[in-house]
Amino acid sequence: MATSVEKLKTEIQTPVAHSGSKVTIVGVGQVGMACAFSIMTQGIASELTLIDVMEDKLKGELMDMQHGLAFLGNIKMTAGSDYALSAGSKLCIVTAGARQREGESRLNLVQRNADILKGMIPKLVQHSPNTLLLIVSNPVDLMTYVAWKLSGLPKERVIGSGTNLDSSRFRFLLSERFNVAPNSTHGWIIGEHGDSSVPVWSGVNVAGVRLRDLNPAAGTDADTENWGEIHTQVVQSAYEIIRLKGYTSWAIGLSVSILTKAILKNSRNVFAVSTFVQGIHGVEQPVFLSVPCVVGENGITDVIQQTLTEGERSQLQKSAATLNEVQ
Amino acid sequence: MQTKASVDTVYGTKVTVVGVGQVGISIAFSIMTQGIASEMTLVDVMEDKLKGELMDLQHGLTFLDNMKITAGSDYALSAGSKLCIVTAGAQMREGESRLDLDQRNTNILKDIIPKLVQYSPDTILLIVSDPVDLLTYVAWKLSGLPKERVIGSGTNVDSSRFRFLLSERFDVAPTSIHGWIIGEHGDSSVPVWSGVDVAGVRLRDLNPAAGTSEDTENWNSIHRQVIQSAYEIIRLKGYPSWAMALSVSVLTRAILNNTRNVYAVSTFVKGIHGVQCPVFLSVPCVLGENGITDVIQQTLTEDERTQFQKSAETLNEVQSNLVF
C-alpha cells in the first residue's frame, strides 16, 4: 500500500544531488559557526556542509541550524567528519587551526597549523577539484600560502580572508569619528593581517572627499588630530575582544560571508583579501598579502593598483620579507 | 565636512535584548544580519562580555546596512525600545526543586521587567527565558502592561522543528510544510495533527490515523523528536542557539514591520479551548506593531483540548505558589 508521502506527490524527475552554490566550512568552532549562521541568514548559499573532527558537536550544530529553516529560504545542510560530504563545493572555507599556546613561538604555531592543513586541503580538492579555497585560519597570510602549495590549485583560486576584516574595523572606527554610516566611510588596510598591517591613509574618504585633503598630516606622526590612533585600535581589536568575550566571531563571520556572496554570485566587488603579491608594490618574494582584489566566481580576477607612499611600500616589502623567512 | 542639521534621538525601530548568553547574542546577530532593526541595545550584568560582544558586532557593520548598537548594564540605554527581548534566566542547580528555580527566575524578572517598562512605557515584551509560559505570565504581572503586549516565544521554535522534521519525510522545503505545535513549550506540547498539510493536502486525508497510536507510519515519532530536540542539542553541542535565534528574529520582524503574520506564541489563554485558569500558553496568533491582535481558533480534537487544559492547570498550580 502506498505511503502517505507517495500518495502526496508524484515524482516527475529526480532532484539534483548537489545544488549550484554549495559551500563547505571546515571547522565548527566559534568562527566557523559564525560564518555558517551568517551565510544561512543572508541566504547566500543553497547548500552548506560542515566538516570537523568532533562528531557530537557537528551533529548538534547541524540540528540546531536545521531547526530554524522554517523561518528562512530552504538550504540543504549536512555535517560530518567525512570529506566526501564536501563533494561538489564551489567554495571551501577553512577555519580550522590551532591557537597560539602561552609562550609558543609564532614559528611553532605555523608549523602546527601547516600540519593540520596537510590533512585537510588535499581532501577538499580531491572531492571538489573545481573549488575555490578561502582560508581564515591564522596567521592567515602564511596559511593561505601553505594551502596554495598543498592544493595544487592556481593561485587565483586560493584566497585568504586577510585584511577584509581589518578594513571593516577601520571603517567602523572612522565612521564613529565622522558620524556617518560605516559603509559610507571608505578606507583600506592592506598587507599583513596582524600587527604590521598598512592603513592607506591617502585613500580614506567620505563621498570622495579625502581626509588627507582636509588634514594633510592625517595618519602621520605629525597629525594633531591623531587619526593614527584608529589604526592602533584596529590592530588591538582582536586582542581586546578576546580579552573581553573570549574569542572573536561575528565580524569575521560577516567578513567571510560577504566574500562568499561575491564568489557565488560573481558580483566582482573589490575586497582586501590575501593573494599572491610577488611583483606587486615591489615585493620580490613568493608570499600572500592583502591588497584590494576583484573577487568573482573564478576567484581573484584583478588586483587594484593603489598609489602607495614610500613608507607604505616599504612596510609591505618588510612584511613580505618576514613572511618569506618563515615560509 | 559641513553639518546640515543636528541629529536628534529618533526612535525608529529599536530593539533591546536583555541577556547576552548564547541565546541572547545569537538573537542579536540574527536580527543584525537580516536587517530587522535600525537600533539594538544589549543589556546584561557582565560588563566585559557586553563590551566584547558589542565591539565584535560593530566591526562587521560595513558588510551590512548601518545600525546603531549600544551595550551596557544600565537600563537607561534601553529607552525608547519598540520591543524588549528577555533571555536572562537562571539554570537549575543540582538538587534544586522546580519551585525554587521558578522563584529564582521570578526574582530575576522582578529586577528586569519594571526597569524595561520604566524606560520604554510603550514597549512590547518578548519573553524567551525558560520555562517560557510561566515566565511570560510573571513578566506580564510585573510589567503592568496589557496582556496583548507581553508575548512568550512559546512553541514557535517547536513548530519550526516540527516542520523541519516533517520536511525530511516529505522531501519538500520546510517552508512548504504546514504544521502547528501549541500549548506548553516543553514536554507536554500539543501537535495539531489535523492541520498538517502540504499545498492544502492534509496528512490526515492521506492517512487518517496519522499521529495517533494506531498509526502504522508512526508520524508521532516526529513529535517525540521535537520534544527531545532541545535536550539532544544540549547534549551534543552544549546549548541551543541558532533555531531559537531565528524564531525570535522572525517574531521581531513581524512586530517591528507590523506584518500581521501568524505564529505560535505564548499568550493569555483563559477562555480559549476551554481553559479556565489565568495562564499563558501558545496558540497561533496574529502579530503586529501593537502586539497580539488576534488568536486563530483551531478546531482541536477532544484529546488535544484535554491536553491543553491539563497544561493550563499545571501551570496555574505553579503560579499560585510564586511570591511576587
Side-chain angles (χ1 to χ4, degrees), chain B residues 14 44 187 239 267 277:
Chain B
K14 176 171 174 176
D44 202 315
D187 296 359
Y239 50 85
T267 187
C277 348

XYZ file of all heavy atoms in Angstrom, chain B residues 14 44 187 239 267 277:
50
model
N 13.739 50.325 17.384
C 14.774 49.987 18.355
C 14.364 48.740 19.129
O 13.221 48.619 19.585
C 14.982 51.151 19.319
C 15.989 50.827 20.429
C 16.350 52.050 21.245
C 17.251 51.659 22.430
N 17.692 52.831 23.181
N 23.042 43.536 30.095
C 23.363 42.380 30.929
C 24.124 42.904 32.134
O 24.319 44.106 32.283
C 24.208 41.375 30.135
C 24.127 39.959 30.709
O 24.231 39.793 31.943
O 23.943 39.016 29.934
N 7.708 19.456 27.355
C 7.362 18.041 27.209
C 5.895 17.779 26.898
O 5.566 16.741 26.325
C 7.751 17.279 28.490
C 9.258 17.298 28.719
O 9.987 17.886 27.886
O 9.715 16.744 29.735
N 24.492 23.708 24.086
C 23.416 24.687 24.292
C 22.707 24.861 22.955
O 23.321 24.673 21.907
C 23.985 26.045 24.733
C 25.098 26.523 23.832
C 24.812 27.213 22.655
C 26.435 26.226 24.119
C 25.828 27.594 21.791
C 27.448 26.604 23.252
C 27.142 27.285 22.099
O 28.153 27.655 21.244
N 0.538 33.260 24.800
C -0.333 34.384 25.116
C -1.338 33.967 26.195
O -1.435 32.796 26.560
C -1.061 34.878 23.852
O -1.778 36.081 24.144
C -2.038 33.824 23.336
N -8.116 28.832 33.684
C -7.148 29.494 34.562
C -6.449 30.638 33.830
O -6.318 30.618 32.618
C -6.083 28.528 35.055
S -6.452 26.806 34.750
